[in-house]
Amino acid sequence: MAQCLRPEQFAQARARTVSICAGLSAEDCALQSMADASPLKWHLAHTTWFWETFVLEPHQAGYMPRDRVHRYLYNSYYNGVGPQFPRPQRGLLSRPSLDDVRAYRAHVDDAMARLLEEAGSDASLTDRLGSLVALGTQHEEQHQELMLTDFKHLLGCNPLAPVYRAVAGGDTRYLPGARPARGDTQAWTGFDAGVFATGHQGAGFCFDNETPRHRVFLAPFELAERPVSNGDFLRFIAAGGYTDPSLWLSEGFDWARENAIDAPLYWRRLDGDWRVFTLHGEQAIDPGAPVCHVSYYEADAYARFAGARLPTEHEWEHAASRAPVVGQFADHGCLQPVAPGGDGLRGLFGGVWEWTSSSYSPYPGFAARSDAIGEYNGKFMVNQYVLRGGSCATPPGHVRATYRNFFPAATRWQFAGIRLARSV
Amino acid sequence: MAQCLRPEQFAQARARTVSICAGLSAEDCALQSMADASPLKWHLAHTTWFWETFVLEPHQAGYMPRDRVHRYLYNSYYNGVGPQFPRPQRGLLSRPSLDDVRAYRAHVDDAMARLLEEAGSDASLTDRLGSLVALGTQHEEQHQELMLTDFKHLLGCNPLAPVYRAVAGGDTRYLPGARPARGDTQAWTGFDAGVFATGHQGAGFCFDNETPRHRVFLAPFELAERPVSNGDFLRFIAAGGYTDPSLWLSEGFDWARENAIDAPLYWRRLDGDWRVFTLHGEQAIDPGAPVCHVSYYEADAYARFAGARLPTEHEWEHAASRAPVVGQFADHGCLQPVAPGGDGLRGLFGGVWEWTSSSYSPYPGFAARSDAIGEYNGKFMVNQYVLRGGSCATPPGHVRATYRNFFPAATRWQFAGIRLARSV
Amino acid sequence: MAQCLRPEQFAQARARTVSICAGLSAEDCALQSMADASPLKWHLAHTTWFWETFVLEPHQAGYMPRDRVHRYLYNSYYNGVGPQFPRPQRGLLSRPSLDDVRAYRAHVDDAMARLLEEAGSDASLTDRLGSLVALGTQHEEQHQELMLTDFKHLLGCNPLAPVYRAVAGGDTRYLPGARPARGDTQAWTGFDAGVFATGHQGAGFCFDNETPRHRVFLAPFELAERPVSNGDFLRFIAAGGYTDPSLWLSEGFDWARENAIDAPLYWRRLDGDWRVFTLHGEQAIDPGAPVCHVSYYEADAYARFAGARLPTEHEWEHAASRAPVVGQFADHGCLQPVAPGGDGLRGLFGGVWEWTSSSYSPYPGFAARSDAIGEYNGKFMVNQYVLRGGSCATPPGHVRATYRNFFPAATRWQFAGIRLARSV
Amino acid sequence: MAQCLRPEQFAQARARTVSICAGLSAEDCALQSMADASPLKWHLAHTTWFWETFVLEPHQAGYMPRDRVHRYLYNSYYNGVGPQFPRPQRGLLSRPSLDDVRAYRAHVDDAMARLLEEAGSDASLTDRLGSLVALGTQHEEQHQELMLTDFKHLLGCNPLAPVYRAVAGGDTRYLPGARPARGDTQAWTGFDAGVFATGHQGAGFCFDNETPRHRVFLAPFELAERPVSNGDFLRFIAAGGYTDPSLWLSEGFDWARENAIDAPLYWRRLDGDWRVFTLHGEQAIDPGAPVCHVSYYEADAYARFAGARLPTEHEWEHAASRAPVVGQFADHGCLQPVAPGGDGLRGLFGGVWEWTSSSYSPYPGFAARSDAIGEYNGKFMVNQYVLRGGSCATPPGHVRATYRNFFPAATRWQFAGIRLARSV
């Protein structure tokens, strides 16, 4: 579905990216903690490169790139554009400096402003730019979330446990919205069997991997009304869940042993109590908040422990398609998931991404674009699992019921949690 | 579905396992070529251990194991039974000797014969044994196929390119059934949309992962009438398919580069011509025979090259459910796939396993048994892809339309090939 | 030998360390290119920690460390002091910031100034501090050289090939002192057999590994009068030296193949010509300059190619003990080795470190100190080879004829070259 | 020094190699437990290949190799002969079979017998063969020792702890010669300073690495009169020696931690008592016997624990040059070291190889032969340490005072122990 040109969204997205680095030093922005994570500086540059490569170069007559080496340095994985500086070495580039990257952003922002202004009086250009600008905006938003998760990982490697952002009032022991765990047991919402449509439709933006909309048959199932909480997960730990092979996928159990995993990422035991590193500093565990930073393996093992299973992505979407897209997103003020409020089926959106049991595969009839942008999604459709719903690090307005996020089963540095399902 | 007790199937399966080693030396049976493959001797022992552990110990009063260390040495992955001798070290056991393993087989076969005879006059025992003996028989058959693939891999590491079995007449240049590639292009059979049942039903044996039978919605699709041939695949190679990233899953392209993969496993180029190592020795490529020993990555890349895709396992099953289970199985005389005869949709069974695009997942409502045998299938349901239809190394009578084989995407030492599908 | 207290040397060394970072950004100072190399910021902090830990804490009554976490973060390898932040993760610390490290330096420098002033009127304290301050100064100088080699390695990973320091006049194509290779063949200086003393003696400072002075017997030998030049080494490359196993230690040949080594580190071939990355930017090869950034394996292979061998460290020291300690050190203005001037035996000091054939072993009767400082040298005396003479990155005044540097055989990021010897 | 032709030594060596495999199965002879160890079958073939390649092919007119593929399969590391089948894959060759290897031995033995007979009447041939046959015999003896160490390692991986050879009387708890540890403390023998000749001289056979004989200066030193015993080493373990970094070379301490090393190889703790796997089966530790199967790192750490050091190879040779070459060699009946009898300096020969502190380097003036046989020793002279004296697995008559064995510092599967030295 072609998108209308929305210049104000471009400007908002660009500004929001910069604001994530507010108060951070050039050192903070330059380091890379692992191959899967990138330096903030690289995100600042790569999102800029995206506009330059896919919008300015094809559509701005006479556009002059600021530096030809950017095409190599800041290309993430688009073979159609050319070779790429190796991902694990992104943290070896002290030059170009952060200041240079900021100048690169300004250079591209200026050119984009001119192009968008030009489009105001050129209907053909407006048509050509609409979908591209929408895609670039969404792309920039995806990197905004990665900037938070990647920087959290870097700080999490630091024995000083630095604070990224103080919470309001400066008290980092209690997060806004945190509250004692309720004594309630998990409640369930049921869904009837049927053939349902899944995937995106309508005029709004979506990624190609959400299409084509198609029919699936769902058997009757129930969905847990809230995500699994830290309190729930503490019981799994206390019951020896991490050392009982009968609860685990074989590969997951081996993974946990080889990596000496005995709790979610960022948890550590101090004098017998579990504490958790957050973007607001290290804190006590909030038993009522959703458990977070678990792998697919841990999510699956917990579900088995609880006598349940993970939902498929189609079950999740079927349930979520009726719900408003509200929840704890990155504008909430707290960058750690808190217990979702309300009653009934809640917390589907925001808070934590929810692992589904669905392998990331193309929808029937899916076809990637044949140009370089077509490398956006399709070529990653193997050995990854779909997560749904967004997290407390997701920009507000970014996700929808049909949105498909995806990561390998061992991934833990994303804000990923668990929602249970069961067949009936 | 409870199975009737079929003592004659037990005896046939046991005899067939031994026959696979006929003519092989103790050295042949002791070596292990990689962690994924096991020595033939280990297969001989492990299948025996299965009967001892799951049938004799629980059901034969006073059964005395031949040696308690077998419980450790020959346990593959059943945590519920106890710890396991590490898989990558199975090739370090010169003792117990092959003769000892044969004596172990005789010990267990004798005890089984007594138990089965006893069952002839004990209806309760007959009932209890029926499904277990069926499972043990099927398990033994699965290992018969692995014995061929594992031993082929071992011989394939040997610069002498040894012959496992001579083909009839002793001429290994031309396999029985081999013939020049037909000039025909690929033809397609179409299927209409609908909700269809998938998974096993009826009185015959099946593995737990084929259940429960459940409904799926299928959009209209077409299935290629024959597997992709060596001739087809040679065109992929000639067109630079292995070096064009636009054809590949990103992970697959990296895999091919890191492992310097430029042809199916067992192919090598000699003076400009491709040759292939088979269980009948090294041979010229038969362009009409199905391409074999390719990974999921290669299968997926070829499909994209051909403007098609891999079928889902449900599409495959839907198409195969109407077809008779006939084809080139391990009793064919040739242990290398040959062009399937006939017209129309053909070669679904036997010849080569066919990669599907389906990740190996539990069917809705699937529940593994809660005892040790429950570890048979369920705990492997992550990061593997489903293959269907059996191969020229599969024992005759072993597979059916609902049968789900599964391997990681990089697997190549199985007799795995490609059948194309496309959405319409 | 106890050392006199030399406060001015302390001040000079501290100032020189800071000057190495002049003009560099916080980003430049924070990154780590490999486990063997450390960020500049870490060097700034660690050298400071050394003074705090080994001088201030034991000898300054009431000294208050600026931050207790420094003891952990900036301890390199002294188990006697306590646990150490893992070396490969030194590049993950965006905090403490470069500014914080500078404040730490100021804190310690202030306290040292007070202590040294106090020592001016306290003879006992003067006595206690003399050798410690000398050691700390030498330690700081060693890190000054590592700062150059480590930062060169970081810049060398950067496809922009950044310039660390412009050479005088700004022309980076021709280094000061560079000149065309002379046509002369290598000349040799002979030495007679005898029992000679080796190791340090006298009142000046030395490291413990240079002691005790002891006698060795040397057979007659000849030493090449100049280091092997780039021109010499280009002939080795042109003759296929890197691919001829008969020239190599077996382990070295394997190392070269596994790492695809076909030239010294920092060399790359551009349009058929070799170019070299230097701290002054990328340049043409100067055929007359000493070859540099070669491993022990390459040095040994070249020697065999040249019909010679590497000298032992005792041969080298015997020859150098008669020579003045002059040469191209880090105050020369060019941070890339240039052809040594003069005639006869030349270039022994400065320019390039010279690999010897001697494994790094304790001298007879060597005993490390029993406290934490005793971990300085002794515990590294295995699987390393001795280099002698200093390089163009070595602080002036730092080395002497008895000075023993040491690195593993595969090391290339140090300014290490080759001098030939032969038995007669 | 040219060697006289000794045909009977050839015959004895060949027969002894075969006798080591007496009673072993084809399976025993085919397996490979690690890259450093080879299958027995490979040793049988490689020693045969040595005669074929270096004696028969150059000196037997019209010699026909039994199979050209042997040149590739059984070449260990002689690049001058041609490419080599990869060492880590030697255990993947079920073909050629053990029977085939035996036929290969017979083929070569027959040809050798004819050649040696011919030499009886051909003085020129006799001259040419003398040194070659001596070298081949010594080479075969070296592999005889490796056959025992490699097979011990294979059996040591087997949880059955199989017995290679029963000791006399069949009682494997007490080895012949074992006796309680004496309460005596270690005694020392002193040596005066001086210039001494080291290296081989005289008419007997030696390897090239023992030459040229040359002078070294030795400071006064003392040598422990007996090897370090198991009882001594148990005190090191009990004192926490494995976890005290102040006793270790830094690299050694990391090695021990990474490999979870807390005792010599083949030791395991059973119900609080240490037991040891031997070629005679698993046994209690004999506190009086020399400790064995320790790495250079462990030997060095123990020496530091004991307030001593390892001897240099020249100190060792100087002391041993006066001693008769008697001790516990492989004809002793017990293939596990026992306490050396007698008084004073004892156990220098046989029992256990003794680690020296000397890196394996060429003697001054050493030059390897320029042909393929020249690859025998010289190309391994890096990152290895010299061991002296032979072990209980060394063929009788094989070693001498000048004999230099060498292995990397982490090596443990050889029969290597510790003798202390100290400077005075």
Side-chain angles (χ1 to χ4, degrees), chain C residues 17-313:
Chain C
T17 301
V18 170
S19 74
I20 290 172
C21 299
L24 301 185
S25 67
E27 294 164 81
D28 286 329
C29 295
L31 304 189
Q32 178 177 33
S33 60
M34 64 170 169
D36 284 342
S38 296
L40 292 181
K41 187 168 74 169
W42 186 89
H43 286 293
L44 291 173
H46 165 70
T47 48
T48 302
W49 168 93
F50 193 92
W51 294 107
E52 181 172 72
T53 303
F54 294 119
V55 180
L56 291 172
E57 296 200 350
H59 297 290
Q60 170 83 293
Y63 173 75
M64 292 294 292
R66 186 154 177 277
D67 191 334
R68 269 292 161 204
V69 78
H70 294 165
R71 173 176 284 262
Y72 170 61
L73 288 182
Y74 301 139
N75 180 359
S76 52
Y77 51 65
Y78 295 85
N79 295 307
V81 173
Q84 302 114 46
F85 185 69
R87 178 176 192 144
Q89 298 177 28
R90 288 175 187 165
L92 301 187
L93 300 176
S94 62
R95 329 273 177 95
S97 68
L98 178 59
D99 285 343
D100 186 272
V101 169
R102 286 183 172 137
Y104 178 36
R105 286 187 75 87
H107 176 89
V108 164
D109 285 350
D110 288 350
M112 280 296 299
R114 286 194 299 278
L115 181 66
L116 292 171
E117 189 179 325
E118 192 181 328
S121 57
D122 179 342
S124 153
L125 184 57
T126 299
D127 282 356
R128 278 182 285 133
L129 290 187
S131 293
L132 270 178
V133 170
L135 179 63
T137 301
Q138 299 291 321
H139 172 261
E140 186 116 8
E141 289 177 356
Q142 290 183 315
H143 280 276
Q144 289 165 4
E145 177 156 0
L146 291 173
M147 290 169 78
L148 291 174
T149 58
D150 292 3
F151 192 59
K152 182 174 183 176
H153 191 264
L154 176 67
L155 294 185
C157 296
N158 193 318
L160 304 179
V163 172
Y164 165 64
R165 289 278 185 270
V167 287
D171 183 345
T172 62
R173 281 170 307 164
Y174 300 103
L175 297 164
R179 51 180 183 183
R182 298 186 305 181
D184 63 3
T185 54
Q186 187 61 276
W188 302 83
T189 296
F191 296 87
D192 293 334
V195 170
F196 302 102
T198 196
H200 191 264
Q201 72 175 0
F205 174 85
C206 75
F207 286 108
D208 58 358
N209 62 6
E210 301 169 52
T211 65
R213 187 165 168 90
H214 63 286
R215 284 170 287 174
V216 295
F217 177 85
L218 298 182
F221 69 100
E222 292 180 340
L223 206 59
E225 292 192 344
R226 59 165 176 80
V228 171
S229 69
N230 286 322
D232 296 333
F233 206 81
L234 282 164
R235 284 186 283 279
F236 171 77
I237 295 177
Y242 275 101
T243 56
D244 178 356
S246 75
L247 297 175
W248 290 75
L249 291 163
S250 179
E251 182 178 296
F253 195 68
D254 293 345
W255 164 85
R257 274 191 297 192
E258 284 161 17
N259 296 282
I261 306 259
D262 62 357
L265 183 62
Y266 300 127
W267 288 33
R268 71 172 180 124
R269 208 190 285 263
L270 184 69
D271 298 331
D273 288 324
W274 286 104
R275 295 179 60 76
V276 59
F277 172 74
T278 78
L279 283 167
H280 307 297
E282 191 174 278
Q283 304 173 335
I285 301 284
D286 173 5
V291 69
C292 191
H293 296 297
V294 293
S295 66
Y296 178 87
Y297 301 126
E298 289 161 292
D300 175 87
Y302 178 82
R304 199 167 288 110
F305 170 77
R309 60 170 172 83
L310 301 180
T312 69
E313 63 169 322

Side-chain angles (χ1 to χ4, degrees), chain B residues 214-271:
Chain B
H214 62 287
R215 284 170 287 174
V216 294
F217 177 84
L218 297 182
F221 69 99
E222 291 181 340
L223 207 59
E225 292 191 346
R226 60 166 174 79
V228 171
S229 69
N230 286 322
D232 296 332
F233 206 81
L234 283 164
R235 283 184 285 277
F236 171 77
I237 295 176
Y242 274 102
T243 56
D244 178 357
S246 73
L247 298 175
W248 291 74
L249 290 163
S250 179
E251 181 178 298
F253 195 67
D254 292 345
W255 164 86
R257 275 191 297 192
E258 283 161 17
N259 295 284
I261 306 260
D262 62 356
L265 183 63
Y266 299 128
W267 287 35
R268 73 173 179 122
R269 207 191 284 264
L270 185 68
D271 299 332

Side-chain angles (χ1 to χ4, degrees), chain D residues 123-355:
Chain D
S124 154
L125 184 59
T126 298
D127 282 355
R128 279 181 285 133
L129 290 186
S131 293
L132 271 178
V133 169
L135 178 63
T137 302
Q138 299 291 322
H139 172 262
E140 185 118 8
E141 288 176 358
Q142 290 183 314
H143 280 276
Q144 289 165 5
E145 177 156 1
L146 290 173
M147 290 169 79
L148 291 174
T149 58
D150 291 2
F151 193 59
K152 181 174 183 177
H153 192 263
L154 176 67
L155 294 184
C157 296
N158 193 318
L160 304 178
V163 171
Y164 164 65
R165 289 281 185 266
V167 289
D171 183 344
T172 63
R173 281 170 307 164
Y174 300 103
L175 298 163
R179 53 182 180 179
R182 298 186 306 182
D184 65 1
T185 54
Q186 186 63 274
W188 302 82
T189 295
F191 296 86
D192 294 333
V195 171
F196 302 102
T198 195
H200 191 263
Q201 72 174 0
F205 173 86
C206 75
F207 287 107
D208 58 359
N209 62 5
E210 302 169 52
T211 66
R213 185 164 171 89
H214 63 287
R215 284 169 288 174
V216 295
F217 177 84
L218 298 182
F221 69 99
E222 292 181 339
L223 207 59
E225 293 191 346
R226 59 165 175 80
V228 171
S229 69
N230 287 323
D232 296 332
F233 206 82
L234 283 164
R235 284 185 285 279
F236 171 76
I237 295 175
Y242 274 101
T243 56
D244 179 356
S246 74
L247 298 174
W248 289 75
L249 290 163
S250 179
E251 181 178 298
F253 195 66
D254 292 345
W255 164 85
R257 274 191 298 193
E258 283 161 18
N259 296 282
I261 307 262
D262 62 356
L265 182 63
Y266 300 127
W267 287 34
R268 71 171 180 125
R269 207 190 284 265
L270 184 69
D271 299 332
D273 289 326
W274 287 104
R275 294 178 62 75
V276 59
F277 173 74
T278 79
L279 284 166
H280 307 297
E282 191 174 280
Q283 303 172 337
I285 300 285
D286 173 5
V291 69
C292 190
H293 296 300
V294 291
S295 66
Y296 177 85
Y297 301 125
E298 290 161 292
D300 175 88
Y302 178 82
R304 199 167 288 111
F305 170 78
R309 61 171 173 82
L310 301 180
T312 68
E313 64 169 320
H314 303 306
E315 289 171 339
W316 193 98
E317 183 171 326
H318 178 58
S321 62
R322 315 169 181 185
V325 185
V326 294
Q328 182 196 5
F329 292 109
D331 59 348
H332 172 274
C334 178
L335 290 165
Q336 184 74 1
V338 298
D343 289 300
L345 194 55
R346 60 195 183 276
L348 283 164
F349 294 102
V352 290
W353 287 100
E354 298 178 7
W355 284 108

Side-chain angles (χ1 to χ4, degrees), chain A residues 27-28 31 41 94-95 158, chain C residues 27-28 41 94-95 158:
Chain A
E27 295 165 82
D28 286 330
L31 304 188
K41 188 168 72 170
S94 63
R95 330 273 178 95
N158 193 319
Chain C
E27 294 164 81
D28 286 329
K41 187 168 74 169
S94 62
R95 329 273 177 95
N158 193 318

